[in-house]
């Protein structure tokens, strides 16, 4: 397991007009003024646990070994839900125990998850509505100062995970779902290039289209420019996922798409 470095990333649903994010940064810098803080995003949809989980999965691995990632999308803040510190072979993650680290914990090796119980890493506060500032920020900062994960609390194995059901074969079709919608209105599915290859191998037929409700997308493009204006299309994006797009438009609006919606590869 690598050692933490003074690089902290932030993912929240706090937006960028309130005092929430600056308060977190102030706490961290007050503990370790040498911290470099990278704002990954503060525009996760409110309470969007699955969207945050997919967002994190798509970018955390490009950061240096020892990076500390803080994820605060926390609808149950102030309740009995736990706060956790997950240590992997390369990175550290601090988050509420609500499934927001599901993809990370599924994909990483040598994972160790601890419940954050040590009150040394928590600020005194009049209320329990802001664990981003009062718990996760100081916990991250003290980690960059050399505090070891074992000092945070006990090891746990019953941490919460989302039901990340993989695409499934049913009646000669591969059923998947939309897991993320980006700023451009493109919808990313959990169907990957590897899933398409498996589909071809099992069904002995070529991929012919993608069905979403009553809409049918024929074929698959190699890049956005190949699409026809105003027409829903599909491609394999750079992360290896099947993505639905409209050339210079918004697929999410054109097709009334949403996270969790079923798609069929036929």
């Amino acid at each position: 397991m690598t050692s933490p470095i003074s690089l902290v990333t932030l993912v929240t649903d706090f937006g960028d007009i309130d005092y929430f994010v600056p308060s977190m940064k102030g706490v961290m810098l007050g503990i370790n003024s040498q911290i470099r803080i990278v704002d990954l995003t503060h525009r996760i949809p409110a309470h969007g646990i699955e969207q945050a989980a997919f967002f994190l999965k798509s970018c955390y691995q490009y950061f240096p070994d020892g990076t500390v990632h803080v994820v605060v999308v926390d609808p149950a803040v102030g309740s009995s839900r736990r706060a956790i510190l997950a240590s992997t072979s390369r990175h550290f993650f601090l988050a509420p125990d609500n499934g927001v680290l599901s993809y990370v914990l599924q994909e990483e090796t040598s994972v160790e998850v601890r419940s954050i119980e040590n009150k040394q890493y928590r600020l005194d506060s009049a209320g329990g509505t802001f664990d981003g500032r009062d718990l996760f920020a100081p916990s991250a900062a003290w980690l960059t100062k050399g505090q070891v994960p074992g000092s945070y609390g006990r090891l746990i194995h019953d941490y919460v995970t989302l039901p990340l059901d993989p695409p499934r074969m049913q009646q000669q079709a591969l059923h998947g779902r939309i897991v993320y919608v980006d700023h451009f209105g493109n919808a990313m599915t959990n169907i990957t290039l590897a899933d398409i290859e498996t589909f071809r191998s099992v069904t002995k037929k070529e991929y012919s289209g993608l069905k979403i409700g009553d809409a049918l997308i024929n074929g698959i493009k190699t890049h956005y420019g190949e699409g026809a204006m105003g027409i829903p299309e599909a491609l394999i994006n750079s992360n290896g996922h099947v993505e639905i797009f409209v050339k210079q438009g918004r697929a999410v609006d054109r097709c009334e798409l949403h996270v969790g919606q079923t798609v069929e590869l036929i």
Side-chain angles (χ1 to χ4, degrees):
M1 190 174 295
T2 191
S3 297
I5 58 175
S6 294
L7 176 60
V8 176
T9 75
L10 298 177
V11 175
T12 79
D13 60 351
F14 291 161
D16 53 13
I17 63 172
D18 293 305
Y19 59 86
F20 307 128
V21 176
S23 297
M24 290 179 64
K25 292 180 178 180
V27 168
M28 288 189 283
L29 291 168
I31 294 169
N32 182 358
S33 63
Q34 301 305 307
I35 288 178
R36 291 178 293 157
I37 302 172
V38 179
D39 297 287
L40 300 189
T41 186
H42 299 295
R43 296 191 177 189
I44 295 296
H47 318 308
I49 294 172
E50 184 172 3
Q51 293 97 316
F54 186 84
F55 178 97
L56 183 66
K57 153 197 162 67
S58 301
C59 60
Y60 80 88
Q61 67 271 30
Y62 302 109
F63 283 84
D65 289 3
T67 298
V68 177
H69 302 278
V70 179
V71 187
V72 189
V73 177
D74 196 9
V77 62
S79 71
S80 60
R81 71 96 183 91
R82 295 175 296 196
I84 57 176
L85 164 61
S87 309
T88 73
S89 58
R90 291 190 54 214
H91 296 153
F92 300 88
F93 302 85
L94 297 104
D97 184 24
N98 59 13
V100 75
L101 298 182
S102 293
Y103 285 107
V104 170
L105 298 176
Q106 180 186 72
E107 296 182 356
E108 283 287 330
T109 58
S110 304
V111 175
E112 179 181 279
V113 181
R114 294 182 179 273
S115 176
I116 303 176
E117 301 164 345
N118 191 337
K119 289 184 170 45
Q120 172 187 345
Y121 304 130
R122 185 178 188 100
L123 302 183
D124 290 331
S125 174
T129 64
F130 197 0
D131 277 359
R133 178 196 67 195
D134 299 335
L135 178 61
F136 295 114
S139 293
W142 281 114
L143 194 60
T144 68
K145 290 278 283 186
Q147 296 295 328
V148 296
S151 70
Y152 282 71
R154 59 193 167 87
L155 284 170
I156 61 171
H157 303 283
D158 61 340
Y159 46 82
V160 175
T161 57
L162 300 174
L164 302 178
D165 299 325
R168 68 188 189 283
M169 289 292 302
Q170 184 177 336
Q171 297 179 345
Q172 294 293 296
L174 183 65
H175 292 247
R177 62 193 182 89
I178 295 171
V179 293
Y180 188 80
V181 175
D182 69 15
H183 167 73
F184 296 99
N186 302 326
M188 300 173 199
T189 76
N190 64 339
I191 300 175
T192 66
L193 181 59
D195 293 323
I196 292 178
E197 294 303 322
T198 300
F199 172 76
R200 287 170 171 162
S201 174
V202 171
T203 63
K204 309 302 181 185
K205 69 177 187 179
E206 288 298 311
Y207 157 83
S208 61
L210 194 69
K211 187 177 181 182
I212 316 159
D214 295 329
L216 179 64
I217 298 174
N218 293 312
I220 195 159
K221 306 302 183 184
T222 60
H223 60 275
Y224 299 114
E226 276 192 328
M229 296 291 287
I231 304 297
E233 307 278 13
L235 52 66
I236 305 294
N237 68 22
S238 293
N239 286 341
H241 288 257
V242 173
E243 179 178 315
I244 303 161
F245 73 98
V246 170
K247 183 178 180 179
Q248 297 180 27
R250 295 178 56 81
V252 65
D253 299 329
R254 173 70 173 76
C255 302
E256 298 183 348
L257 305 177
H258 59 84
V259 170
Q261 187 170 355
T262 298
V263 298
E264 294 178 49
L265 189 78
I266 59 176

